[in-house]
Amino acid sequence: MTITTHQTTPYAGQKPGTSGLRKKVRVFQQANYAENFIQAVFDVVERPAGSTLVIGGDGRYHNRTVIQQAIRMAAANGYAQVLVGQGGILSTPAASNVIRQYKASGGLILSASHNPGGPDEDFGIKYNIANGGPAPEGVTEAIYARTQTIDRWHAVDTADIDLDSCGSVDVGGCQVSVIDPVADYADLMEKLFDFAAIRAAASDGLTMAFDAMHAVTGPYAVEILEKRLGFGAGTVRNGVPLEDFGGHHPDPNLVHAKALFDTMFAPDAPDFGAASDGDGDRNLIIGKGRFITPSDSLAMLAANAHLAPGYARGLAGIARSMPTSAAADRVAEALGIPAFETPTGWKFFGNLLDAGKATICGEESAGTGSDHVREKDGLWAVLLWLNILAVRKISVDELAREHWAKYGRNYYARHDYEGLPTEQADALIAALKAKLDSLPGQSFGALTVATADSFSYLDPVDGSTSANQGLRVLFEGGSRIVFRLSGTGTEGATLRVYLERYEPADGYLDRETGDMLADLIAAADAVAGIVAHTGRTAPDVIT
């Protein structure tokens, strides 16, 4: 079969963010745009002779087109085998598992995660390395450098393959296998969790609602929750993946999953509610009348993980991203295990997991996971919650109250200011960074600044340093505010403001979060000049 070399010129701005390259579909539809980036990946990543490449995505618009081209390019670039999910579908954690299970050299995951999908919406590509995790900064920087000099890309001349039927086909000497996207992942979950205990609880009347948001986890949730665990038909809502996610924003927060929130706060609410996002790596946890923040979920899961067979021997350590609340740190201290604070981005957990220093990791942005793969994993978190509730025969609300009574409560919220002009967001951060040194000792209402800095991370495994990972303002008494610009959007900038107040075990443990954070909300504007810089008087999303 003929390999054709296509001449090209670089596109500006093909720099991967925290989770790969994300742009509008219309950007990726430009001639050579996706091909340039994929070829840059193939040009720089480690892949021994005879390597296997995994390809899959979240089913969003444009996935199939790019997958077909990626297959032709992989064949032309010397891959011996390509594994692709049936229908082009692989959740991000399932892709990580496939990479690890089949010892692939890496994988292309086509997703813009929780961002909306459709012809006028978002698309993304990221590369995961052989451990199944997102490419580290050294690799993404090399990919970006190559995109700036790319002058050709290679592909075999062949028709599209049938993505909807499992089986193998030869493409230019490369064996392309379309695999069941669900089976291997579901089998792994059954090894980690006490499915018998969960089945018994479901049989005894435990009820739940899972919103797949017309995204990738629908088939996984139906197979695991309804077929293997015995929850009733209809437990999985919006379970069919759609290219535009049904016109909705597949972000499992209280704004975009409002229907689930309303269900869980209704008089006839089921016992447990959960949701996952576009590519299946995030989660939302709600009990009957009780929302659990992602930061609290991480802490509560870590405190009870030993109840699941996969974690019965205990945890090596707990890792969290810097903006995530310190609730998990208190659990680590009680368990006598290390707690690690990393920059935002799951790739920073990879070294800790590979070195056996951490077992469970989490981010405030609704990502939680463990060393079973090298990605955050929405359904994994849901199943660990179910395992704990089934074994302890306790409600979500009861578990939360018990946890806070033992460890205290970290009241926590994230305020997102979305779609800001980049120059406004950059100016706000620059001005705040310039005055960090002068903040200690200053008072903002009843709050007095203890320290303020720009967070820098020294990786305890490889000794690398990642600087400028967010601006922290810490107050006397343990409260704090963190400011950072998000790397997950496709247009403009998103300013994220993280607010945290610790209340000890003998304090106010069941107050409204907004009331408990009122002083911090006022201080955030006073410290950073949010209204003055952006003109925004309120955030777009509060989580």
Side-chain angles (χ1 to χ4, degrees):
M1 194 168 292
T2 304
I3 295 176
T4 300
T5 297
H6 301 261
Q7 302 303 311
T8 189
T9 55
Y11 280 96
Q14 287 195 320
K15 184 172 185 177
T18 52
S19 295
L21 179 67
R22 293 183 186 173
K23 303 288 182 182
K24 291 296 182 184
V25 167
R26 62 179 178 271
V27 175
F28 271 98
Q29 287 176 325
Q30 296 176 96
N32 300 330
Y33 191 90
E35 291 86 349
N36 279 15
F37 186 76
I38 293 169
Q39 186 65 55
V41 170
F42 292 162
D43 284 350
V44 306
V45 300
E46 289 187 17
R47 47 188 185 97
S51 287
T52 296
L53 178 73
V54 173
I55 305 177
D58 59 12
R60 69 178 56 233
Y61 185 85
H62 203 47
N63 260 21
R64 286 174 174 263
T65 299
V66 176
I67 285 173
Q68 296 285 5
Q69 192 70 305
I71 290 170
R72 285 187 281 263
M73 292 180 66
N77 279 275
Y79 281 95
Q81 184 178 32
V82 169
L83 302 177
V84 58
Q86 186 179 16
I89 293 287
L90 273 177
S91 76
T92 291
S96 180
N97 178 54
V98 170
I99 292 169
R100 294 169 62 81
Q101 182 173 333
Y102 294 93
K103 296 180 171 53
S105 63
L108 293 173
I109 300 178
L110 311 185
S111 171
S113 188
H114 54 293
N115 294 4
D120 298 318
E121 297 297 351
D122 299 344
F123 189 78
I125 306 177
K126 74 170 181 174
Y127 183 75
N128 281 30
I129 59 175
N131 74 347
E137 287 186 320
V139 175
T140 57
E141 288 294 337
I143 293 170
Y144 176 51
R146 181 63 184 129
T147 68
Q148 295 174 296
T149 61
I150 195 85
D151 59 356
R152 83 289 178 271
W153 55 272
H154 309 296
V156 297
D157 293 326
T158 183
D160 289 352
I161 71 163
D162 178 5
L163 291 176
D164 296 311
S165 301
C166 290
S168 296
V169 62
D170 182 274
V171 176
C174 173
Q175 179 180 316
V176 179
S177 298
V178 177
I179 62 173
D180 183 331
V182 174
D184 290 327
Y185 176 85
D187 291 346
L188 175 62
M189 295 300 104
E190 197 153 4
K191 294 174 184 175
L192 294 175
F193 301 115
D194 190 343
F195 273 33
I198 302 172
R199 273 194 298 268
S203 179
D204 289 342
L206 179 68
T207 55
M208 74 171 294
F210 181 84
D211 189 348
M213 307 189 84
H214 285 304
V216 76
T217 52
Y220 297 85
V222 169
E223 171 64 25
I224 295 172
L225 298 176
E226 296 185 5
K227 295 183 179 179
R228 299 198 185 192
L229 292 175
F231 287 98
T235 291
V236 178
R237 305 176 177 192
N238 304 316
V240 178
L242 300 176
E243 288 191 334
D244 66 348
F245 308 115
H248 299 296
H249 197 129
D251 190 351
N253 60 41
L254 301 184
V255 174
H256 299 299
K258 186 177 184 301
L260 177 66
F261 183 84
D262 291 343
T263 294
M264 296 308 300
F265 278 78
D268 58 347
D271 300 304
F272 182 67
S276 191
D277 71 327
D279 66 331
D281 61 1
R282 298 178 186 229
N283 69 86
L284 171 66
I285 303 297
I286 315 180
K288 183 184 295 186
R290 174 67 71 183
F291 166 62
I292 303 296
T293 70
S295 293
D296 273 348
S297 180
L298 170 64
M300 293 171 188
L301 291 178
N304 294 278
H306 62 280
L307 299 175
Y311 308 95
R313 290 178 294 178
L315 309 178
I318 305 171
R320 64 170 176 86
S321 63
M322 181 273 287
T324 303
S325 93
D329 299 16
R330 304 183 191 283
V331 174
E333 182 180 8
L335 294 176
I337 59 176
F340 299 93
E341 184 180 39
T342 74
T344 296
W346 204 261
K347 57 192 174 186
F348 291 103
F349 294 138
N351 278 355
L352 297 172
L353 295 169
D354 285 348
K357 291 182 175 292
T359 306
I360 285 182
C361 307
E363 297 183 325
E364 54 70 38
S365 55
T368 325
S370 82
D371 57 358
H372 68 292
V373 291
R374 292 298 180 269
E375 287 280 5
K376 48 187 176 277
D377 189 345
L379 271 175
W380 172 91
V382 172
L383 290 168
L384 182 50
W385 265 101
L386 285 170
N387 196 145
I388 293 165
L389 298 178
V391 171
R392 295 198 57 193
K393 296 177 169 52
I394 192 173
S395 72
V396 173
D397 181 64
E398 289 167 338
L399 188 144
R401 290 176 182 274
E402 177 190 277
H403 185 94
W404 295 328
K406 179 176 181 179
Y407 297 102
R409 182 175 181 182
N410 291 70
Y411 284 93
Y412 185 88
R414 188 183 87 195
H415 289 194
D416 288 359
Y417 297 81
E418 298 179 334
L420 296 173
T422 302
E423 59 274 14
Q424 285 185 5
D426 289 343
L428 183 152
I429 293 296
L432 178 55
K433 191 172 184 179
K435 67 178 185 179
L436 286 175
D437 291 342
S438 66
L439 286 176
Q442 290 191 41
S443 294
F444 298 86
L447 297 167
T448 300
V449 178
T451 61
D453 64 11
S454 177
F455 179 62
S456 181
Y457 176 64
L458 175 63
D459 191 305
V461 178
D462 64 16
S464 63
T465 298
S466 298
N468 302 313
Q469 296 295 322
L471 305 182
R472 304 187 295 184
V473 180
L474 288 72
F475 298 94
E476 295 175 2
S479 295
R480 67 171 185 158
I481 307 172
V482 174
F483 303 85
R484 61 180 292 273
L485 300 182
S486 170
T488 60
T490 58
E491 289 188 330
T494 295
L495 171 68
R496 290 189 169 155
V497 182
Y498 310 84
L499 309 147
E500 179 176 3
R501 169 181 171 172
Y502 176 66
E503 193 71 11
D506 60 353
Y508 300 112
L509 299 181
D510 201 16
R511 299 289 181 90
E512 288 293 327
T513 297
D515 294 340
M516 297 297 284
L517 297 178
D519 288 350
L520 283 167
I521 293 170
D525 183 58
V527 168
I530 297 172
V531 176
H533 279 283
T534 69
R536 305 282 183 89
T537 57
D540 296 283
V541 179
I542 297 176
T543 52

